[in-house]
Amino acid sequence: MPRHKLIASESDVSIDVDEGKDNEFSLYYVEVEENSEEGEEKQARRDGKRRRERNGEVGRRRTSEKRTTEVGNKRAEKKHDKRHKRARNGGEKHGKRQRRKNEDAEEAEEESSKEKKNIKNERNKTLKLDDEKKKDLKKKTKKHVKNEEDDASHGKTKQKDCHDMPLKEKKKKRNKPETTSESESKSESESQSDSDSESKDNQAVGVLGSLTPEELEKLKEAVDERKKLIITLRGKPWPMRKKLLILRESQEFVEKYEGALGKGKGRKLYAYKVMMMKKWMKFQRDFENFKTACIPWEMKIKEIESHFGSSVASYFIFLRWMYGINMILFGLTFGLVMVPEALMGKPYGSLPRKTVPRAEEAGAMNFAVLWDFGGYAKYSVLFYGYYNNQRAIGWLKFRMPLSYFLVGVGTVAYSYMVVIRTMARNANEEGGGDDTSFNFSWKTFTSWDYLIGNPETADNKFASITTSFKETIVEEQESRKDDNIHLTRFLRVLANFLVLCCLAGSGYLIYFVVRRSQKFALEGLENYGWWERNEVNMVMSLLGMFCPMLFDVISTLENYHPRIALQWQLGRIFALFLGNLYTFIIALMDAIQLKRAEEEIVKKNMTIWQANLYNGTVPDNSTALPITVHPADVPRGPCWETMVGQEFVRLIISDTMTTYITLLIGDFLRAILVRFLNNCWCWDLEFGFPSYSEFDVSGNVLGLIFNQGMIWMGAFYAPCLPALNLLRLHVSMYLQCWAVMCCNVPQERVFKASGSNNFYMAMLLVILFLSTLPAIYTIVSIPPSFDCGPFSGKNRMFDVIQETLETDFPAWFGKVFSYVSNPGLVLPFLLLLVLAIYYLQSTSKTYKRVNMELKKKLQTQNEENKKKNKLAALKAANELEQARKGGEQHSNSDLGESTLNGSQLPSVNALDRILEPVLGNFPLMLKS
Amino acid sequence: MVSPAIALALLPLLLTLIIRYRYFFVLLYRAVLIRWVRDCLTGLSREERAYQYILTHATPGDSQSILDTFDQWCSKVEFISNIGPKKGKILDRLLLEHCPITVLELGTHCGYSTVRIARSLPIGARIYSVEMDERNAGVAEKVIRLAGFDEDMVELIVRPSDEVIPRLREDFGVEHLDFVFMDHWKRCYLPDLQLLEGSGLLGEGSIILADNVIFPGAPNFLRHARRSGLYEVRVHRATLEYIRGIRDGMAELTFLGIK
């Protein structure tokens, strides 16, 4: 085996060095080089010389170092061996080379004589250099550094002179076809040189102090080369594996030797600096990694993105973003409302509003009741009714009602702020301009989703790109024909009509169900079964689940691009959900009215009850303690706020349950059935009829958005909602991640969804607005219950602000506030605000337009340039022809008149002048 | 009791299912219901009815006319799962590309695909067509003779495919199969393929074309073909014959030879 031989030769080298037979060593070394690639030679020889030089100097001087060199060499051999293996794996033609080795060896023998000469020269030179160095040391001039450099450059040039020659000759001699590409040979030479220099410098680690300046210089040069390589590696046309290999090797090399470089005294400092720099860089990189690791679920999302494309990932990113927002909302409500009340407020059982009434006490701890958020759950910090209207609680004098109100307002305000800010940021990212004008260019260059890392998805994507190309070509042809447009239009109108019918039907159904449930509620729910009690929720979730499917089926009529189809689908589901939600709210408003009527009756009864209490038991004449009635026995109002909160919580819970159950049945069970029944079924379940489900981006996004809307709506009356939502989002993150990876298949038409993010945001904003509307309406227009909640006893909920202003702030502040809140001031301020918004909007519009114009200008300029170039080329060609004709004429006309000559000469010059830019532009033209 | 409102809320689901799988309902209607009614009314089998139609409508000796009439009958009158015109084009192209000399057809049915293969074969080529059902084979023979192909060209074998394949060499003197077309029971694809592998009739470059690998589908066959490493697999995607909306495909397996 050639490799064994190689090792043997190298081990011989070390022995030879010990014996001091430099010439033989060189011969062997040449042989070694011959074994390896052609391109390695130059570098390798330089390295060999380096070694020789050092051995010439060092090896003779120190006998004690022989051992180390031997060891080092052996180590180097091993490394070399490995490298060699890799190189062999990389280049297949290596084997052939090895076979050719014998010839090469013969040649090498011929060359070895030349080499010997070279070495003699070399030795002379080194001696000279040594002398010079000694002189330098003696003089100890300040020009030390400069001299060193000079020496080094001398050495370099000389070396190059002496070993370039034989190399060239050898190449000539060989006359073999270059089988490997340049880059390959180059890289291999590098790896080879790397191993060589490494083997050398393995020894050198101990001998570093005795490095000659040239060597240092060379080392530095090599390090610089490596650095350069690392920087430019990305642009090289090599396969990835090779790039990685080279990168790793180069980095190792640089890391190893960079520290060893430096000049004179500053070497240590330099090494230290380099080391610190490296440490710092590494730390920074690690820190970046750490930061990425700190982003919750980042890796999960990336994995999903690689399997399912960015549209599915965008849902999960949205989910994460939502989680963040809910975290803040939860922090606000939990930290400023629930915890203070639980810690500092009056304990459970101290007030009627804080105790379970006597009638409910028996079943208050039943699971069914708690699951329905009745019983003890209803009379706890989770709901509005539990809070007391005491102005300040605890030793902190915490203003509970104020805090409650401000948190309610603050959560909504914060949500607005965040949504709008995100929208604005996203709007910046999407540049203006129409993307439809260069359809095929866009498709060619931008349709690949680079985040895909899964072969199946990649196949799908590939197929979808191909089909989309076909479709676009067909579309392009059809758009020229322009005859089928009416059919498409008709189908689209029809689809929208069907969808509208569907929406109206579902709206009516919900309305019907809600009316019925009110009837049930009036007659008492106890008389009805589970189906009747849960009818509204059931119908709402069923419609919410199946109507989108119907829309999806209908939307196939329209034949839109999937991205546009997704937006339509989103819009439709949005309308459906909105209709459902608003029907629900209207029903809730009715319920509130009912409760308030009930409250009036209770109020009247209350006075009678109190009168009875006092009349019946307490003698009029006594001054004894007033009667204490257990709070559970006190009659109380229905507390519509708690009822609203409860409804929302129930809705959220049932919604969550529906989502999870759908996930488990529709996705997981189906996947299991398809997977395991496929082996014993008469048709292909995986490819054919049930198949695996696809991830429904639009439905999930909308579910999330509407869920959030319900949170915003209900959070004022049930402070526990953000906490519940947080829990839900957390669970659904894990559950859905798992479900997607485990039982969904990538969409058949994978498409990029980067543009739809702002669409989601816009919908979220709309929902936010629509969900704050009813909340604000109830806060502003309906008086709070008289015996429950933090605002009981007040006429309106926002009176708490006025109260605070009056009692907690100095008098002048109240005055200032009253002045400021004077309509005469507020209206102009609002006007100013509107004007400012208008101004900003119009300026942004102008900027956009200017941007567009600039873009257009650039385009036209580009086209003009193209035309110009074409024209110039044509002209040049014409003139060339003319000139040729002229030349022929000229030659024919027997060196005619001098005037003609004079005119022709400049014309040729002109031709050159014209041709020059054209030729210069030629590659440009090719590009365009 | 489930209230009517909840039942109404399930209506979208029903509609969705009906719309999404309408082609399957159409197929059910055409392939099962109509056939059953006609069978009861006429007392003839479906294949015989098809033959009667062809006899009255097609030009004898003109294979193209016979094929067209078949297509017409299958798309207008009743449904027979022939290979159909669209997938037939793929078959024609493959035959033209490879010019096979010996062709084995598993599942003659009414002879549609046999006529289709026979007309695009070079002179001197031979088809061995295997059909299990005798009535169908009778119809198929009539159709083939009507199209003008004689016994030298088409050899009809009325036996189950798993009996025929191991005995091809002994009984029929077949040494090498260039082209195998599978369109019989989908469950038999895999065992028959394995029998073919074992018989040694396949050589390097032999083509195996299997119809209906996606619908009704032959997952085990495809899995085996992909995993065994003996074949280069290509699935030509198309739709089910005579019904537009159901996706189907033909698997083209190129035998790479046992290494």
Side-chain angles (χ1 to χ4, degrees):
Chain A
M1 281 296 290
R3 216 189 309 143
H4 290 302
K5 210 162 189 175
L6 193 134
I7 294 166
S9 65
E10 275 221 297
S11 57
D12 282 354
V13 168
S14 61
I15 293 162
D16 284 341
V17 170
D18 289 347
E19 288 167 9
K21 289 176 189 171
D22 281 330
N23 292 350
E24 272 180 36
F25 156 62
S26 72
L27 189 144
Y28 274 115
Y29 206 81
V30 168
E31 202 176 290
V32 170
E33 283 162 18
E34 288 297 325
N35 289 340
S36 47
E37 309 294 322
E38 289 174 11
E40 290 166 12
E41 285 156 8
K42 194 171 170 183
Q43 191 99 13
R45 188 151 320 154
R46 200 183 289 163
D47 281 324
K49 251 168 213 164
R50 251 188 257 161
R51 188 191 292 191
R52 242 173 279 137
E53 278 169 32
R54 207 210 17 260
N55 283 335
E57 289 173 18
V58 181
R60 265 178 246 151
R61 264 184 274 165
R62 302 187 194 177
T63 43
S64 64
E65 241 170 65
K66 282 171 196 168
R67 292 283 153 76
T68 59
T69 49
E70 259 180 44
V71 172
N73 267 336
K74 269 175 193 169
R75 224 183 286 153
E77 278 156 30
K78 275 179 192 169
K79 279 198 175 174
H80 191 108
D81 213 28
K82 271 186 197 166
R83 291 280 147 67
H84 215 77
K85 246 187 216 168
R86 273 191 226 160
R88 268 178 90 184
N89 289 338
E92 291 178 3
K93 280 149 191 170
H94 200 88
K96 283 181 192 170
R97 298 253 170 72
Q98 295 290 350
R99 261 172 255 143
R100 268 191 241 134
K101 199 213 84 183
N102 292 334
E103 305 169 351
D104 291 352
E106 284 173 20
E107 285 170 26
E109 273 180 4
E110 284 175 33
E111 280 159 18
S112 63
S113 55
K114 277 170 198 167
E115 279 292 322
K116 279 174 202 167
K117 280 176 200 167
N118 287 340
I119 288 157
K120 273 175 194 169
N121 289 340
E122 191 70 28
R123 214 176 287 154
N124 290 339
K125 209 191 326 161
T126 48
L127 284 173
K128 268 184 204 167
L129 286 171
D130 272 2
D131 288 346
E132 276 178 20
K133 194 180 157 196
K134 276 170 195 168
K135 275 175 200 169
D136 280 349
L137 283 170
K138 274 175 193 171
K139 282 175 187 172
K140 285 187 179 176
T141 50
K142 284 175 188 174
K143 290 174 186 173
H144 177 74
V145 179
K146 199 185 166 189
N147 268 333
E148 216 174 46
E149 277 171 12
D150 283 353
D151 289 354
S153 62
H154 269 287
K156 244 193 286 174
T157 47
K158 276 175 193 171
Q159 271 177 8
K160 269 184 186 167
D161 285 343
C162 56
H163 76 69
D164 271 356
M165 269 299 286
L167 196 124
K168 276 175 194 167
E169 279 180 15
K170 198 162 64 184
K171 273 198 174 169
K172 270 182 202 166
K173 256 188 197 174
R174 278 198 179 172
N175 274 337
K176 277 168 196 163
E178 279 257 330
T179 43
T180 45
S181 66
E182 233 180 55
S183 61
E184 204 177 321
S185 60
K186 195 180 162 192
S187 76
E188 261 156 4
S189 79
E190 272 154 5
S191 65
Q192 170 70 22
S193 74
D194 188 16
S195 64
D196 270 336
S197 49
E198 229 170 77
S199 65
K200 182 199 83 177
D201 287 294
N202 264 340
Q203 314 157 18
V205 174
V207 202
L208 214 88
S210 60
L211 277 176
T212 55
E214 313 130 54
E215 279 172 341
L216 268 181
E217 198 60 38
K218 253 176 266 163
L219 201 61
K220 207 170 174 183
E221 203 179 298
V223 166
D224 282 346
E225 224 164 75
R226 284 307 149 94
K227 278 183 178 169
K228 217 165 148 192
L229 185 71
I230 289 171
I231 291 165
T232 55
L233 192 68
R234 195 173 282 178
K236 302 240 155 130
W238 300 335
M240 199 63 206
R241 202 180 302 151
K242 193 166 155 194
K243 273 185 185 177
L244 283 175
L245 185 74
I246 288 170
L247 182 70
R248 212 177 304 128
E249 279 169 359
S250 310
Q251 274 173 344
E252 263 170 29
F253 181 84
V254 169
E255 211 157 289
K256 207 167 202 174
Y257 298 114
E258 206 174 32
L261 293 172
K263 291 147 201 167
K265 272 184 181 177
R267 184 183 293 169
K268 262 188 183 169
L269 188 69
Y270 181 72
Y272 180 71
K273 245 163 79 183
V274 166
M275 198 184 70
M276 283 317 287
M277 186 77 109
K278 210 147 280 153
K279 285 264 156 68
W280 173 240
M281 297 261 279
K282 194 164 175 348
F283 171 74
Q284 272 181 329
R285 205 165 54 229
D286 284 350
F287 189 67
E288 285 292 320
N289 286 347
F290 177 69
K291 271 203 298 199
T292 333
C294 275
I295 299 171
W297 305 304
E298 181 74 1
M299 291 318 290
K300 267 188 166 163
I301 291 173
K302 287 279 172 243
E303 202 183 338
I304 287 170
E305 192 161 24
S306 75
H307 278 80
F308 292 87
S310 53
S311 67
V312 174
S314 74
Y315 165 72
F316 283 97
I317 290 167
F318 189 62
L319 180 62
R320 185 176 64 188
W321 184 82
M322 214 61 131
Y323 186 82
I325 285 187
N326 274 288
M327 199 80 137
I328 304 277
L329 299 190
F330 168 72
L332 281 174
T333 49
F334 193 73
L336 292 176
V337 174
M338 285 164 84
V339 169
E341 177 68 23
L343 289 182
M344 300 186 288
K346 284 186 176 167
Y348 172 82
S350 57
L351 284 171
R353 70 184 64 173
K354 296 196 177 195
T355 24
V356 179
R358 195 62 81 191
E360 294 171 24
E361 228 167 31
M365 210 49 200
N366 288 354
F367 178 73
V369 175
L370 284 182
W371 183 248
D372 224 19
F373 283 88
Y376 284 106
K378 187 177 168 187
Y379 299 96
S380 69
V381 281
L382 301 182
F383 291 104
Y384 172 94
Y386 182 81
Y387 293 82
N388 196 5
N389 64 343
Q390 197 181 357
R391 238 174 55 72
I393 54 169
W395 53 274
L396 271 177
K397 300 270 175 232
F398 190 78
R399 307 294 197 267
M400 194 61 221
L402 181 71
S403 161
Y404 196 99
F405 187 80
L406 287 185
V407 164
V409 173
T411 47
V412 172
Y414 171 77
S415 312
Y416 268 114
M417 204 183 71
V418 168
V419 172
I420 287 176
R421 206 181 53 195
T422 317
M423 272 186 82
R425 205 171 47 217
N426 284 354
N428 280 344
E429 278 169 14
E430 45 178 72
D434 47 344
D435 297 345
T436 51
S437 49
F438 303 103
N439 213 345
F440 286 96
S441 299
W442 280 114
K443 274 211 180 343
T444 318
F445 296 114
T446 65
S447 50
W448 189 254
D449 191 342
Y450 284 93
L451 299 167
I452 291 172
N454 180 28
E456 197 184 340
T457 322
D459 278 352
N460 276 352
K461 184 70 190 168
F462 177 77
S464 86
I465 291 171
T466 337
T467 45
S468 81
F469 257 107
K470 283 179 200 161
E471 279 166 13
T472 1
I473 290 168
V474 171
E475 261 172 41
E476 198 70 23
Q477 282 171 350
E478 272 179 6
S479 71
R480 285 193 187 145
K481 275 186 216 159
D482 202 44
D483 56 356
N484 228 3
I485 192 88
H486 295 299
L487 180 66
T488 329
R489 262 185 206 155
F490 169 72
L491 283 178
R492 283 176 187 178
V493 169
L494 181 73
N496 280 315
F497 176 71
L498 288 177
V499 167
L500 276 181
C501 284
C502 219
L503 286 177
S506 78
Y508 180 74
L509 193 63
I510 288 175
Y511 180 72
F512 173 76
V513 170
V514 165
R515 290 296 293 272
R516 231 161 81 102
S517 78
Q518 279 168 9
K519 198 184 78 190
F520 293 153
L522 277 180
E523 292 171 9
L525 272 177
E526 293 75 34
N527 310 330
Y528 294 95
W530 188 84
W531 286 107
E532 275 82 9
R533 262 184 287 150
N534 290 292
E535 206 178 42
V536 180
N537 284 341
M538 285 286 291
V539 167
M540 274 179 74
S541 7
L542 282 179
L543 284 178
M545 209 156 37
F546 297 130
C547 277
M549 284 162 72
L550 190 61
F551 293 163
D552 198 24
V553 166
I554 289 173
S555 71
T556 50
L557 277 180
E558 297 173 313
N559 201 17
Y560 279 124
H561 181 273
R563 205 179 302 133
I564 300 163
L566 176 72
Q567 291 190 354
W568 272 96
Q569 176 78 353
L570 279 173
R572 279 164 190 166
I573 304 173
F574 187 81
L576 174 80
F577 283 10
L578 200 67
N580 294 359
L581 198 65
Y582 259 69
T583 328
F584 176 74
I585 288 166
I586 288 164
L588 217 57
M589 289 289 179
D590 283 354
I592 290 174
Q593 294 308 323
L594 283 177
K595 292 270 171 185
R596 289 202 53 230
E598 201 184 325
E599 197 182 277
E600 289 301 312
I601 298 165
V602 169
K603 251 187 194 171
K604 273 175 199 156
N605 286 348
M606 193 76 163
T607 48
I608 297 166
W609 176 78
Q610 268 173 344
N612 281 343
L613 202 66
Y614 286 102
N615 286 341
T617 52
V618 183
D620 293 339
N621 57 358
S622 85
T623 55
L625 288 167
I627 305 235
T628 52
V629 182
H630 193 270
D633 295 326
V634 177
R636 59 188 80 175
C639 196
W640 61 266
E641 292 96 335
T642 301
M643 189 266 299
V644 171
Q646 249 178 326
E647 285 297 320
F648 274 109
V649 170
R650 274 181 210 149
L651 198 65
I652 293 284
I653 295 282
S654 81
D655 190 42
T656 313
M657 286 296 127
T658 329
T659 316
Y660 292 164
I661 289 169
T662 327
L663 197 81
L664 283 181
I665 292 176
D667 286 359
F668 185 61
L669 217 63
R670 180 171 161 189
I672 283 181
L673 284 181
V674 166
R675 183 84 185 80
F676 292 107
L677 272 186
N678 201 23
N679 292 325
C680 49
W681 202 257
C682 53
W683 69 74
D684 195 347
L685 290 170
E686 284 181 351
F687 258 109
F689 160 47
S691 174
Y692 297 108
S693 50
E694 284 176 2
F695 188 79
D696 175 22
V697 179
S698 53
N700 277 304
V701 164
L702 277 169
L704 206 60
I705 286 174
F706 273 84
N707 179 52
Q708 194 59 39
M710 282 188 261
I711 300 298
W712 278 321
M713 246 189 266
F716 191 74
Y717 298 116
C720 63
L721 268 182
L724 275 179
N725 196 34
L726 204 66
L727 204 67
R728 177 213 162 121
L729 291 182
H730 200 98
V731 173
S732 70
M733 189 77 188
Y734 282 102
L735 200 66
Q736 285 191 311
C737 274
W738 164 78
V740 159
M741 292 303 281
C742 147
C743 34
N744 283 5
V745 284
Q747 278 154 326
E748 225 168 287
R749 300 181 77 179
V750 184
F751 56 92
K752 271 184 290 184
S754 54
S756 51
N757 278 336
N758 229 12
F759 195 68
Y760 297 161
M761 284 296 153
M763 275 197 302
L764 197 64
L765 189 67
V766 172
I767 276 295
L768 180 55
F769 179 70
L770 290 176
S771 62
T772 45
L773 265 188
I776 288 173
Y777 172 75
T778 48
I779 288 170
V780 170
S781 68
I782 303 177
S785 302
F786 75 102
D787 65 342
C788 69
F791 313 113
S792 59
K794 292 191 179 60
N795 194 22
R796 291 282 183 267
M797 288 178 192
F798 54 82
D799 283 350
V800 72
I801 302 244
Q802 212 163 2
E803 191 193 70
T804 312
L805 279 177
E806 277 166 11
T807 51
D808 286 345
F809 284 92
W812 61 266
F813 194 84
K815 233 177 217 171
V816 169
F817 190 80
S818 67
Y819 285 140
V820 167
S821 60
N822 186 16
L825 265 175
V826 169
L827 279 181
F829 180 72
L830 279 180
L831 207 66
L832 200 70
L833 219 62
V834 169
L835 283 177
I837 289 170
Y838 181 72
Y839 169 74
L840 286 177
Q841 207 225 349
S842 53
T843 42
S844 79
K845 244 184 201 167
T846 327
Y847 284 141
K848 222 174 218 174
R849 214 183 51 227
V850 168
N851 256 349
M852 287 292 297
E853 266 167 20
L854 265 178
K855 238 183 191 177
K856 263 185 201 163
K857 220 179 247 178
L858 273 177
Q859 258 174 31
T860 44
Q861 211 169 14
N862 208 10
E863 272 167 23
E864 251 173 45
N865 273 346
K866 244 193 259 175
K867 270 182 201 164
K868 236 186 233 168
N869 283 340
K870 264 184 199 165
L871 271 181
L874 271 177
K875 210 174 174 186
N878 278 340
E879 284 196 28
L880 195 70
E881 220 163 86
Q882 276 179 3
R884 202 178 289 148
K885 274 181 194 168
E888 278 168 13
Q889 277 177 5
H890 183 66
S891 57
N892 285 346
S893 65
D894 210 2
L895 301 161
E897 297 133 40
S898 59
T899 47
L900 210 152
N901 245 337
S903 70
Q904 217 166 17
L905 218 69
S907 84
V908 171
N909 282 342
L911 193 73
D912 275 348
R913 245 182 292 137
I914 291 160
L915 269 179
E916 206 172 8
V918 171
L919 290 175
N921 278 332
F922 193 62
L924 257 177
M925 279 160 67
L926 271 182
K927 265 180 212 166
S928 59
Chain B
M1 193 210 101
V2 179
S3 72
I6 293 177
L8 266 179
L10 287 171
L11 191 68
L13 176 67
L14 194 69
L15 278 177
T16 311
L17 289 180
I18 289 174
I19 295 175
R20 185 170 288 169
Y21 300 116
R22 58 191 182 280
Y23 296 111
F24 292 93
F25 292 113
V26 170
L27 181 68
L28 183 78
Y29 169 72
R30 289 189 53 198
V32 180
L33 292 180
I34 290 192
R35 179 187 179 183
W36 181 71
V37 169
R38 291 279 176 100
D39 279 359
C40 287
L41 286 179
T42 58
L44 293 171
S45 78
R46 188 170 55 155
E47 289 76 17
E48 284 161 351
R49 287 197 297 276
Y51 176 66
Q52 281 186 347
Y53 184 85
I54 286 160
L55 210 54
T56 48
H57 287 79
T59 320
D62 182 2
S63 55
Q64 183 61 47
S65 153
I66 286 174
L67 293 181
D68 287 344
T69 322
F70 245 122
D71 290 337
Q72 207 181 341
W73 188 77
C74 290
S75 51
K76 296 274 156 56
V77 187
E78 276 187 61
F79 181 84
I80 282 186
S81 62
N82 288 322
I83 186 171
K86 277 189 185 163
K87 283 192 283 186
K89 277 200 182 114
I90 299 173
L91 177 65
D92 290 348
R93 208 193 65 217
L94 278 175
L95 287 170
L96 282 180
E97 272 174 19
H98 296 284
C99 283
I101 299 299
T102 323
V103 179
L104 175 69
E105 190 195 9
L106 303 174
T108 318
H109 205 68
C110 324
Y112 178 92
S113 45
T114 319
V115 171
R116 191 139 208 149
I117 294 171
R119 70 173 184 158
S120 43
L121 281 185
I123 298 164
R126 200 171 158 81
I127 307 176
Y128 298 91
S129 192
V130 181
E131 173 61 45
M132 195 174 75
D133 190 83
E134 284 189 19
R135 281 177 90 181
N136 286 354
V139 173
E141 188 160 16
K142 284 183 223 163
V143 169
I144 291 163
R145 298 291 171 262
L146 195 68
F149 298 109
D150 56 2
E151 279 182 3
D152 291 340
M153 186 93 176
V154 181
E155 171 96 46
L156 197 63
I157 306 166
V158 191
R159 258 154 72 185
S161 58
D162 51 340
E163 285 179 22
V164 174
I165 293 169
R167 303 196 57 80
L168 269 177
R169 203 187 289 267
E170 290 95 53
D171 293 1
F172 302 97
V174 180
E175 287 303 319
H176 180 258
L177 288 172
D178 298 312
F179 194 94
V180 179
F181 179 65
M182 289 184 172
D183 194 10
H184 53 314
W185 288 108
K186 315 306 163 202
R187 312 212 68 171
C188 300
Y189 279 14
L190 180 59
D192 285 351
L193 184 71
Q194 281 162 343
L195 279 177
L196 280 172
E197 282 167 19
S199 69
L201 290 168
L202 297 178
E204 201 179 330
S206 292
I207 306 270
I208 296 159
L209 188 69
D211 190 19
N212 301 110
V213 288
I214 291 177
F215 182 87
N220 293 326
F221 171 78
L222 277 184
R223 201 173 302 136
H224 172 78
R226 288 213 173 95
R227 294 211 182 137
S228 65
L230 295 172
Y231 309 97
E232 194 189 307
V233 182
R234 272 184 77 193
V235 176
H236 299 276
R237 286 175 185 269
T239 57
L240 193 68
E241 51 274 359
Y242 312 123
I243 287 192
R244 204 157 35 85
I246 300 174
R247 283 183 308 157
D248 190 16
M250 297 167 88
E252 178 198 342
L253 277 60
T254 313
F255 194 71
L256 298 174
I258 301 162
K259 282 157 197 166

